[in-house]
């Protein structure tokens, strides 16, 4: 079954790429594997609905943002931090075929296949 996600190119501001407690954003665990003609990016996104995942591109960077189903809280050194989103931005080492990128979300794991754009040499 092919799943569809909204995939688009945007030009985010620098401040929108910073993951931190003040903005209530968590950085998800991720794994990036490079192959000859594509990359596979896997992200753990527990407590997220598929409809709340947004994938965007900025040049050769991929950005993933996902709203949590409910606020997540953790306590460290007597201070409680509350989070509402996951956010991850990863720069890739080459050009991306954005229109051919596919994503699958299952059991809290997002798997994105990102084809490489190959230069045609005349």
């Amino acid at each position: 079954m092919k799943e569809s996600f909204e995939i688009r190119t945007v030009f985010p501001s620098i401040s929108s790429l910073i993951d931190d407690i003040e903005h209530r954003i968590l950085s998800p665990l991720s794994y990036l594997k490079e192959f000859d003609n594509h990359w596979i990016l896997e992200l753990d996104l527990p407590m997220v609905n598929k409809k709340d995942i947004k994938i965007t591109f900025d040049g050769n960077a991929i950005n993933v943002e996902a709203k949590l189903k409910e606020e997540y809280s953790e306590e460290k050194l007597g201070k409680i931090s509350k989070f509402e989103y996951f956010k991850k931005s990863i720069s890739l080492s080459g050009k991306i075929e954005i229109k051919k990128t596919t994503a699958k979300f299952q059991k809290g794991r997002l798997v994105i296949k990102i084809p490489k754009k190959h230069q045609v040499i005349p």
Side-chain angles (χ1 to χ4, degrees), residues 16-70:
S16 71
L17 298 177
I18 299 172
D19 298 347
D20 61 22
I21 293 170
E22 181 181 335
H23 293 104
R24 302 168 72 111
I25 299 170
L26 289 167
S27 182
L29 292 175
S30 62
Y31 175 75
L32 179 67
K33 177 86 174 162
E34 184 172 7
F35 297 92
D36 288 339
N37 60 355
H38 68 280
W39 295 272
I40 296 288
L41 174 60
E42 297 182 31
L43 298 110
D44 286 337
L45 299 173
M47 304 183 322
V48 168
N49 288 318
K50 176 186 155 189
K51 67 178 179 61
D52 295 323
I53 298 171
K54 184 169 72 170
I55 302 167
T56 58
F57 292 89
D58 179 18
N60 67 333
I62 183 168
N63 307 295
V64 177
E65 186 173 336
K67 185 174 182 353
L68 297 171
K69 292 178 192 174
E70 59 187 54

Side-chain angles (χ1 to χ4, degrees), residues 75-114:
E75 184 176 347
K76 288 185 182 176
L77 303 172
K79 183 177 179 188
I80 297 175
S81 299
K82 297 179 181 183
F83 300 93
E84 297 175 351
Y85 294 91
F86 280 113
K87 192 172 192 179
K88 188 79 166 190
S89 180
I90 297 176
S91 292
L92 301 171
S93 61
K95 298 209 183 261
I96 301 168
E97 284 280 359
I98 296 170
K99 294 184 189 291
K100 294 181 181 177
T101 297
T102 58
K104 181 179 178 184
F105 184 65
Q106 188 175 6
K107 296 181 181 178
R109 178 165 283 252
L110 178 63
V111 179
I112 306 170
K113 183 177 180 182
I114 310 158

